[in-house]
């Protein structure tokens, strides 16, 4: 166990070499930390701003030993860190945050929703699907059309398909590759919201103002924050986040995706045990952004304020859209974040802009 | 000449490995640039957040060739870059910004003040001193007590001494090591102010709100911004900055130190052709801080807004004061910047805090 609060000059290890790792490394640098990136990607964009960069598969024993040698603690930018990697690091005496429980819970949609319901957090109706027989039973219980998703992996709309009816069940089962799955009732929602929350090592929880999210082709396009929300809904979102983080004995920042139903109730879609795309608005809209907040939490520092300084619309720059950077650089109210990725592949998150307006009173 | 606006993914070279270089590198990373630090310091704090790090003397020919190979353009974090280094880089086809004229002017106090007066910017009365005879003449003209400073080098109050009277002249001349010098009339000022301004490659000039500076033992302790200032004084400060930057055909951010005299007039003390300690408040007080502004300017991007989001008091953490970081980390309104320096030597700038309050109407 390292000394907490972790002193500046210590090295924080980050698993993952993408934009979230990059922005975590930049935030850590502000607070005086050195950083170490472990990523299999040779020219990863996070390693380009880190003090140390190890290029190796996440489960490479030598690489993990090198990480353990250098880093006082390890965190990550993605939720699919293999449990074995966390075990290896822990076995080498390294503190990993967030911990194994949060990872295991978030990595399996059935475990995740079961956990949520158990701690009193509402979700859509769901059922585990292991084969055609259990899929038929699930359709009986949940109804159709409904959503069939693989229990593991899958993001930005990948690994899921609609089941139109009992007649469609076998084809849908093929479409998701006959993998262990979950059937979910479609949420009759008016808006998608998210709350970015953080929990410190001493158990304090803070939540940023709720953001309103707009997706396109399964990818987040836009977040507006603070969202126009009733006091009741805001409190409900904060209570949900606090309950999840506390029950998981969580340390760090978490992104919780919510559906706002027609009757005003909020249900949780899923949570990500890491900094979250829908929290990028905090980079220019808050005194302490989600990346610094995460570093503060895992480093055992007190949490920073979550009060907004401005109203923000965050827009993702996906694929070719990054080529508009000269126009965006000239737009006075647009704060550009360019991730420095070499190749603008379709669907790839290449950057984002935050557009700022004064807060409403 | 590189392509302007310089595309993200390009490498920006920075001469100097201290906190200003570190914060420039972090700002460049936000915009998608790679960075290269050249510094003689083996464990420099800027190199720890840069993509590439070359440890060598600034005038090392091989090092400069490596810089020229990798970097599309070069900038610096300190004003005493040897003219020879700029010549070598320019000869190797590298764009250097700000340019040789600004450096040469800022490096010599007599040249600097002569330039300022020539472009209609007021300074205190001054005279060049090359020997005891010219010092005696200077005292006749300027009066005493007055300030004797070396023409070159010297910062944070070093390389300067008071000349009390003609009788003290010889001793004062010894105290500054008989170096080429300048004698300056003491400014009868009520406040020290500074204005951080930027000029783009297309000649646009912007100036951040004026800051009010408080020094102690010759070192900046505190900057408050925006300073409480009459409209006339504000306009005067902006005009002065615009005149200096335009006349030098300057590209980048400059810090201009001003004295406010009892009658309300502003005179320029000196300017620094680089980002400036008294502009650190912009890191948390403005949408675009002085470091991003500098990167924008040298990269041929349009300048960003300079409107403040908050009132800020910036306080330097000098020497041992950095050890108060756990308390500062817990202070809700204090935004901490820890430079990650290993050794807290007396007088060394180790970090700073920005304390934020809502803007006055």
């Amino acid at each position: 166990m390292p000394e907490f609060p972790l002193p500046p000059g210590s090295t924080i290890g980050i698993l993952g070499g993408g934009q979230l790792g990059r922005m975590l490394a930049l935030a850590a640098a502000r607070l005086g930390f050195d950083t170490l990136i472990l990523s299999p990607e040779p020219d990863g964009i996070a390693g380009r701003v880190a003090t140390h960069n190890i290029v190796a598969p996440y489960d490479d024993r030598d690489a993990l030993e090198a990480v353990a040698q250098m880093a006082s603690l390890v965190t990550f930018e993605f939720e699919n860190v293999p449990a074995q990697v966390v075990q290896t690091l822990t076995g080498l005496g390294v503190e990993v945050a967030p911990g194994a429980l949060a990872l295991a819970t978030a990595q399996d949609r059935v475990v995740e929703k079961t956990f949520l319901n158990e701690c009193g957090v509402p979700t859509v109706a769901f059922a585990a699907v292991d084969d055609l027989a259990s899929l038929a039973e699930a359709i009986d219980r949940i109804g159709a059309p409904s959503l069939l998703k693989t229990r593991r992996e899958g993001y930005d709309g990948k690994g899921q398909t609609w089941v139109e009816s009992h007649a469609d069940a076998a084809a849908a089962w093929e479409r998701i590759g006959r993998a262990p799955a979950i059937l979910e009732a479609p949420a009759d929602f008016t808006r998608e919201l998210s709350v970015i929350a953080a929990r410190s090592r001493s158990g304090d929880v803070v939540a940023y103002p709720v953001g309103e999210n707009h997706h396109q082709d399964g990818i987040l396009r836009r977040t507006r924050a603070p969202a126009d929300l009733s006091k009741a809904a805001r409190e409900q979102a904060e209570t949900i986040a606090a309950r999840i983080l506390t029950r998981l004995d969580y340390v760090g920042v978490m992104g919780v995706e919510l559906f706002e139903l027609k009757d005003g109730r909020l249900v949780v879609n899923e949570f990500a045990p890491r900094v979250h795309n829908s929290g990028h608005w905090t980079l220019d809209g808050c005194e302490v952004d989600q990346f610094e907040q995460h570093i503060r939490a895992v480093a055992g520092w007190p949490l920073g304020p979550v009060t907004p300084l401005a109203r923000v619309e965050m827009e993702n720059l996906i694929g070719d859209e990054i080529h508009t950077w000269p126009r965006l650089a000239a737009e006075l109210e647009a704060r550009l974040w360019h991730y420095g990725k070499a190749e603008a592949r379709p669907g790839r998150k290449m950057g984002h802009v935050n557009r700022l307006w004064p807060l409403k009173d």
Side-chain angles (χ1 to χ4, degrees), chain A:
Chain A
M1 203 63 157
E3 173 193 351
F4 289 124
L6 191 70
S10 310
T11 299
I12 295 180
I14 300 168
L15 302 190
Q19 64 268 20
L20 300 182
R22 182 173 170 106
M23 292 185 278
L24 282 171
L26 296 175
R30 171 190 173 129
L31 301 181
F33 292 110
D34 283 354
T35 49
L36 180 162
I37 299 289
L38 171 62
S39 156
E41 221 186 319
D43 274 313
I45 55 168
R48 310 180 83 76
V49 303
T51 318
H52 311 283
N53 189 27
I54 299 179
V55 179
Y58 295 116
D59 57 0
D60 183 298
R61 175 83 197 187
D62 289 347
L64 292 176
E65 278 176 10
V67 170
Q69 202 76 38
M70 286 194 269
S72 300
L73 65 87
V74 168
T75 187
F76 37 83
E77 62 149 24
F78 62 110
E79 58 270 47
N80 291 317
V81 181
Q84 184 56 52
V85 169
V86 176
Q87 268 173 37
T88 303
L89 285 168
T90 308
L92 291 164
V94 182
E95 174 72 11
V96 180
L101 176 60
L103 282 172
T105 308
Q107 283 172 3
D108 183 312
R109 293 179 204 282
V110 172
V111 176
E112 183 183 25
K113 286 198 163 62
T114 305
F115 160 79
L116 288 168
N117 290 173
E118 273 172 10
C119 58
V121 172
T123 63
V124 294
F126 66 94
V129 171
D130 297 308
D131 48 30
L132 275 175
S134 53
L135 177 53
E137 274 170 48
I139 295 172
D140 284 340
R141 245 186 62 210
I142 310 290
S146 50
L147 264 171
L148 186 64
K149 301 177 178 175
T150 55
R151 284 174 71 145
R152 294 181 159 269
E153 314 276 322
Y155 63 97
D156 286 351
K158 288 170 191 127
Q160 56 177 294
T161 188
W162 282 97
V163 184
E164 298 300 334
S165 64
H166 270 294
D168 184 37
W173 182 236
E174 292 301 321
R175 285 200 292 278
I176 63 153
R178 296 188 242 181
I182 184 172
L183 191 71
E184 296 180 1
D188 191 15
F189 62 89
T190 50
R191 288 193 293 179
E192 292 183 55
L193 305 169
S194 63
V195 57
I196 308 295
R199 187 166 174 274
S200 72
R201 288 194 182 269
S202 56
D204 294 326
V205 176
V206 295
Y208 287 96
V210 172
E212 181 179 328
N213 302 325
H214 297 266
H215 289 78
Q216 196 177 315
D217 305 326
I219 302 177
L220 182 67
R221 274 230 60 86
R222 206 170 279 118
T223 298
R224 290 197 188 94
D228 227 335
L229 215 63
S230 70
K231 187 161 170 283
R234 208 164 56 231
E235 286 174 357
Q236 204 189 331
E238 285 170 16
T239 305
I240 286 173
R243 207 171 281 178
I244 297 173
L245 272 66
T246 304
R247 285 289 283 267
L248 290 172
D249 197 18
Y250 193 81
V251 170
V253 161
M254 174 184 282
V256 183
E257 297 181 21
L258 303 155
F259 294 132
E260 185 183 43
L261 304 185
K262 283 195 175 135
D263 60 9
R265 276 186 315 128
L266 302 181
V267 300
V268 170
N269 177 32
E270 61 180 11
F271 63 82
R274 54 167 169 80
V275 288
H276 196 259
N277 192 168
S278 72
H280 289 1
W281 71 272
T282 62
L283 282 163
D284 295 293
C286 295
E287 286 188 39
V288 171
D289 62 57
Q290 65 167 345
F291 300 96
E292 179 180 340
Q293 198 72 272
H294 183 75
I295 297 295
R296 281 174 165 264
V298 299
W301 288 34
L303 299 177
V306 289
T307 34
L309 289 167
R311 265 191 315 143
V312 184
E313 179 176 287
M314 188 287 300
E315 187 183 355
N316 271 335
L317 301 171
I318 298 165
D320 278 348
E321 291 168 5
I322 195 64
H323 300 316
T324 61
W325 69 265
R327 185 173 58 67
L328 296 167
E331 203 185 306
L332 268 186
E333 69 269 30
R335 310 274 52 85
L336 177 62
W337 288 80
H338 190 299
Y339 304 152
K341 294 181 185 176
E343 211 190 327
R345 291 195 293 270
R348 195 177 196 203
K349 290 173 181 170
M350 302 294 295
H352 70 269
V353 277
N354 284 326
R355 290 191 177 82
L356 274 65
W357 289 274
L359 283 172
K360 288 175 192 166
D361 289 324

